[in-house]
Amino acid sequence: MARKSFLFTSESVSEGHPDKVCDRISDEVVDAFYREGAKEGLDPWGIRAACETMATTNRVIIAGESRGPKGVTVAAIQDLTRKAIKDIGYEQEGFHWANCNIEVLLHSQSADIAAGVDAKQPTNQEEGAGDQGIMFGYACNETPELMPAPIYYAHNILRDLALARKAKQGDAAKLGPDAKSQVTVRYENGKPVGVTQIVVSHQHIVEDLSSRQVREIIEPYVRAALPDTWISKDTVWHINPTGKFFIGGPDGDTGLTGRKIIVDTYGGAAPHGGGAFSGKDPTKVDRSAAYAARYLAKNVVASGIADRCTIQLSYAIGVAKPLSIYVDTYGTSKVDEAQIEKVLGEVMDLTPRGIRSHLDLNKPIYSRTSAYGHFGRPAEKDGGFSWEKTDLAAKIAKAVS
């Protein structure tokens, strides 16, 4: 039997965290391939981009494999990298958008991988998955966006602080881009009811700020991000617990693409598959099938047939259809889980091409996912976060009734 009363903790990191800087740059490259491909009239189904980024003191290295428009040149990638770093807010001596060294090492996609992924012509045989792997999606009814409460609120704290910092709202202008948050949520009878511990470590660009002064700046934003009754006199605060946090970002710690996968997903409240998301075009099922699994899990919960839902999908490289579909509703489902598995395979084509088509993923919509979570964000008019829609909920409910 599942525990009803417990503490659970999740963390988030800001867009200025070294790893998130790298995720942002990698996703900017993916977006550039789709954006420039559209300008050049290329078939978006044939575009490929797999981009890894490393950042350290005044240096960024971008490497990977690609296939697509000629307009995505080394100079173009260097330019979009500088713009991304500037937008994040880095203008410090050890990492500055204007003068950091940017090395671009992209090369053509492996012909062996392409042979397994591309649709076979002239028969138009279905394109296969870009790699083997397992992908998970999760949803629960703890928050309006059907996300686990700890990660949802950890993200909200840092996103609100980033907006205030960029808008130079009062003393928030004294904060730097690099930050981490952590929220410990207390559950009673299976429901989140309060916060016992709050951790925020936030870079500051005014060097002599004390931890107390940083708390005075950020506490109003933390309180506004959390439900009204969740912070009590017993809540313990840890704000810049090591003291000074002046040197931040890649100058303080080397960053790499794909190192914050639990921050990107469910904060540890649900399983994560073997792969990261950022820097990958949607032929890579590490990304697209994880989005599909979240989409289906969210629609299952939104349909009202379960309070919680984990979905696992598995794939083999070069093989189109998923090898398995697994559903776990943790005893909260009103119908048999095997029936849900059958229905999910019917309401959505879970081949790589089917996922890309259903969720309309062949677009420059990825850089916005690189910080504050790939899930739990509203679907956007241009197709961003399309996997957060609940347009299948009624169909699923009817199919299992």
Side-chain angles (χ1 to χ4, degrees), residues 116 127-129 315-323 352:
E127 63 189 41
Y315 292 85
I317 188 168
V319 179
K321 292 184 178 180
L323 309 185

Side-chain angles (χ1 to χ4, degrees), residues 350-369:
L350 291 171
T351 63
R353 192 175 186 91
I355 293 170
R356 292 165 73 196
S357 178
H358 190 110
L359 297 178
D360 199 15
L361 298 180
N362 294 334
K363 288 182 173 181
I365 56 173
Y366 296 106
S367 64
R368 69 193 74 170
T369 70

Side-chain angles (χ1 to χ4, degrees), residues 118-274:
D118 292 345
K120 308 300 187 296
Q121 301 295 343
T123 60
N124 198 32
Q125 180 182 334
E126 178 62 82
E127 63 189 41
D131 201 353
Q132 70 176 49
I134 57 173
M135 298 85 208
F136 289 92
Y138 179 73
C140 61
N141 58 10
E142 294 178 13
T143 60
E145 294 296 337
L146 305 184
M147 285 289 286
I151 188 67
Y152 180 78
Y153 292 113
H155 284 323
N156 285 354
I157 288 168
L158 292 185
R159 185 164 54 239
D160 290 353
L161 281 166
L163 290 172
R165 170 180 61 84
K166 289 183 172 183
K168 299 187 183 303
Q169 293 179 5
D171 284 343
K174 297 177 181 179
L175 300 176
D178 196 355
K180 302 177 79 171
S181 68
Q182 190 166 282
V183 177
T184 300
V185 174
R186 178 168 56 89
Y187 287 75
E188 291 182 1
N189 296 318
K191 300 295 183 181
V193 297
V195 174
T196 64
Q197 307 267 347
I198 297 169
V199 184
V200 180
S201 295
H202 211 301
Q203 181 188 15
H204 44 91
I205 58 175
V206 176
E207 187 168 2
D208 60 354
L209 286 184
S210 67
S211 295
R212 180 186 58 80
Q213 290 171 311
V214 173
R215 175 170 173 171
E216 289 173 354
I217 295 170
I218 72 166
E219 184 171 344
Y221 297 97
V222 175
R223 289 184 177 275
L226 293 168
D228 289 341
T229 61
W230 278 28
I231 298 176
S232 73
K233 62 180 177 58
D234 297 320
T235 300
V236 179
W237 294 70
H238 306 274
I239 308 301
N240 283 16
T242 62
K244 184 171 149 183
F245 185 7
F246 180 67
I247 299 173
D251 186 33
D253 191 11
T254 297
L256 293 170
T257 299
R259 256 199 324 203
K260 286 292 177 285
I261 57 177
I262 301 303
V263 170
D264 287 341
T265 54
Y266 309 104
H272 181 94

Side-chain angles (χ1 to χ4, degrees), residues 22-31 48-53 63-65 106 257-258 276-282 284 287 291 366-367 369-370 374:
C22 294
D23 285 346
R24 169 73 178 270
I25 293 168
S26 293
D27 277 335
E28 290 283 2
V29 172
V30 175
D31 282 353
R48 303 288 184 266
C51 179
E52 310 292 343
T53 302
E65 301 77 47
L106 289 179
T257 299
F277 302 156
S278 289
K280 297 176 181 177
D281 74 68
K284 283 72 172 175
R287 182 170 220 159
Y291 289 177
Y366 296 106
S367 64
T369 70
S370 62
H374 291 245

